[in-house]
Amino acid sequence: MGTRNLALFPLFMAVLLSVHSKTHWEDTQVLKQLKNALDPTSISSASCVHSWDFSVDPCDNLFGQKFTCGFRCDTVVSGASRVTELNLDQAGYSGSISSVFWNLPYLETLDLSTNFFSGPIPASSFSNLARMRLLSLSDNSFSGEVPTSIGSLSALEELYLNGNGFNGSVPASFVGLVSLKRLELQSNGFTGAFPDLLDLKNLYYLDGSDNRFSGELPSVFPASLVQLAMRNNSFEGGIPGSVGKLVNLQVVDLSHNQLGGSVPAALFEHPSLEQLTLSFNRFSAVETPDSSGTRSGLIAVDLSDNEITGFLPPFLAFMPKLSALSLENNDFTGMIPVIYAFKTAAPNPGISPLERLLLGGNYLFGPIPEPLRRMKPDSATVRLGGNCLFRCPTFLFFCEGGEQKSTAECRSAGPMIP
């Protein structure tokens, strides 16, 4: 009988400790699983996880010698402490978290960013994180498809999946992320069409750059968007007219795609849009806004490396805040408008000067406007190389960037070249 009691003693002590533990026992189990999932050789002596010693209660000893950092506890119910934040330091941890059962119902922040985690993320247990507000897995080596269960996290406000090896499509279930404000998917291997996220009424930051998305851009975007970045994908077609109606929009970067047609006029009279980057696409024309650009809030416009023809759009020089303009490597012809020169060298009072005017690699001809020729090298960045201009040797600072085109090449551009 005495022997039997001795055998039951360890179990009795475990139950007793769980009853009197400050940390809820299920949260302790998750912390243990996470530490066990790490490659032991990646846990340096100076890291947070190295200090996790489960011979004592985690929450009761947090910021002591045994649990120096890595998570936060709060008393949320019945006097028990629950883990509400899990922020691993950037200590070079490696391993897979797919075997961890994420049963942390009070967790609001999970940040594993900038480490060396690999493999897939849990397909189902992430859905237990119902109170999650921030999930950051960025800059690791996670792979595989993003599970649809992520879309059930209706309290999530910030989602960072950037800088990994995720592939497949973005789950359509993301429409369930009704509280989401920031979504970063850049630098992965996502493919297929980009999902319609119109129902995400709070989304203000969306970055899907550096993936393999294809097809056309979504026809509509959330009206709350402030920044839209989809550079370096394989999008085709034109820019949806709805983009110009996003009243809060400040930054658009759709560069390095296969977009074509005309650049919509609405983007050039948008009152809040400050940066428009459409370089390295297949645009062939620029629409002129009714306001001639005078209502525009644009500070920087980059339409370089497209297939735009015709004369340089005069309205761009009427934009009151525009200070950086790149139209390089297109098929523009005609003469440089004098108004471009005045906005660069001698703008009217209250008008921002062009600190960067890049017009190289086109078929511009004729003399260089006098205000540009009088400029000093340190007054602005001006590039006119690789055109058909008269007397533009490369030793002049504004003619740097390449010799002027040959007469034969200039004449091949069309009858407007003399």
Side-chain angles (χ1 to χ4, degrees):
M1 189 71 175
T3 303
R4 181 182 179 186
N5 288 339
L6 286 174
L8 292 174
F9 183 74
L11 178 61
F12 170 75
M13 288 302 298
V15 173
L16 184 63
L17 287 172
S18 67
V19 170
H20 294 283
S21 175
K22 185 175 181 179
T23 312
H24 193 282
W25 68 273
E26 290 181 317
D27 294 11
T28 301
Q29 288 300 112
V30 176
L31 295 176
K32 287 181 178 179
Q33 289 179 34
L34 178 57
K35 183 174 183 179
N36 290 335
L38 302 180
D39 181 346
T41 63
S42 70
I43 304 176
S44 68
S45 59
S47 67
C48 285
V49 176
H50 184 268
S51 71
W52 292 6
D53 182 347
F54 294 98
S55 65
V56 297
D57 180 76
C59 292
D60 201 28
N61 289 273
L62 187 55
F63 307 125
Q65 293 183 345
K66 295 294 182 71
F67 287 92
T68 59
C69 55
F71 60 96
R72 170 181 169 174
C73 299
D74 286 296
T75 302
V76 295
V77 62
S78 302
S81 289
R82 305 303 301 256
V83 175
T84 55
E85 294 185 11
L86 212 168
N87 296 283
L88 290 192
D89 48 332
Q90 300 172 8
Y93 302 116
S94 63
S96 172
I97 64 169
S98 59
S99 62
V100 179
F101 186 71
W102 294 92
N103 190 22
L104 295 171
Y106 289 90
L107 192 69
E108 296 182 0
T109 297
L110 176 58
D111 188 346
L112 308 179
S113 61
T114 319
N115 280 289
F116 296 99
F117 290 105
S118 59
I121 58 177
S124 59
S125 65
F126 263 18
S127 60
N128 297 330
L129 308 176
R131 290 179 172 83
M132 181 85 75
R133 296 174 61 188
L134 184 151
L135 174 58
S136 180
L137 306 178
S138 61
D139 298 314
N140 279 283
S141 298
F142 290 111
S143 59
E145 296 189 4
V146 175
T148 58
S149 58
I150 294 287
S152 66
L153 304 179
S154 59
L156 197 64
E157 297 179 1
E158 299 178 56
L159 177 57
Y160 302 90
L161 301 178
N162 51 294
N164 282 286
F166 292 120
N167 55 39
S169 59
V170 174
S173 64
F174 274 23
V175 297
L177 300 174
V178 293
S179 301
L180 200 64
K181 297 179 180 178
R182 190 178 183 105
L183 177 58
E184 299 202 23
L185 304 171
Q186 66 269 29
S187 303
N188 279 287
F190 290 116
T191 57
F194 198 85
D196 180 353
L197 301 178
L198 180 62
D199 291 337
L200 305 189
K201 305 297 185 184
N202 301 301
L203 190 67
Y204 73 87
Y205 186 101
L206 173 59
D207 195 337
S209 304
D210 302 303
N211 281 287
R212 295 197 294 273
F213 292 118
S214 58
E216 296 187 352
L217 291 165
S219 59
V220 288
F221 288 93
S224 53
L225 270 187
V226 173
Q227 180 159 333
L228 171 62
M230 291 287 183
R231 66 182 174 276
N232 196 24
N233 281 286
S234 298
F235 289 112
E236 300 176 329
I239 298 177
S242 60
V243 173
K245 299 176 182 178
L246 301 175
V247 296
N248 301 305
L249 201 59
Q250 294 180 8
V251 176
V252 172
D253 187 350
L254 302 175
S255 59
H256 293 268
N257 280 284
Q258 299 174 34
L259 299 170
S262 298
V263 181
L267 297 177
F268 297 111
E269 54 186 357
H270 197 292
S272 65
L273 188 61
E274 297 179 352
Q275 179 180 325
L276 177 63
T277 307
L278 302 177
S279 54
F280 292 93
N281 276 287
R282 297 177 178 175
F283 291 107
S284 57
V286 177
E287 295 179 2
T288 300
D290 294 337
S291 65
S292 295
T294 56
R295 293 199 298 262
S296 174
L298 280 165
I299 297 172
V301 172
D302 187 352
L303 304 180
S304 60
D305 294 274
N306 277 282
E307 301 168 2
I308 305 173
T309 60
F311 299 135
L312 294 174
F315 74 86
L316 292 172
F318 290 105
M319 292 182 175
K321 298 181 180 180
L322 190 66
S323 62
L325 175 62
S326 179
L327 302 175
E328 289 187 306
N329 302 321
N330 279 284
D331 295 318
F332 287 112
T333 187
M335 300 176 69
I336 300 174
V338 175
I339 192 171
Y340 275 46
F342 278 115
K343 183 170 173 60
T344 306
N348 292 327
I351 301 297
S352 296
L354 280 174
E355 298 175 2
R356 288 173 60 85
L357 176 61
L358 310 182
L359 303 177
N362 284 286
Y363 293 89
L364 303 174
F365 61 84
I368 298 170
E370 181 66 22
L372 289 181
R373 286 193 285 115
R374 292 200 304 263
M375 292 181 63
K376 296 180 179 180
D378 57 350
S379 57
T381 300
V382 179
R383 289 211 295 258
L384 305 178
N387 279 287
C388 304
L389 296 169
F390 179 64
R391 292 181 181 173
C392 193
T394 56
F395 66 79
L396 297 176
F397 82 94
F398 44 78
C399 294
E400 293 176 354
E403 298 281 350
Q404 297 296 300
K405 291 182 171 68
S406 67
T407 301
E409 189 176 2
C410 290
R411 287 177 175 170
S412 70
M416 289 178 287
I417 305 294

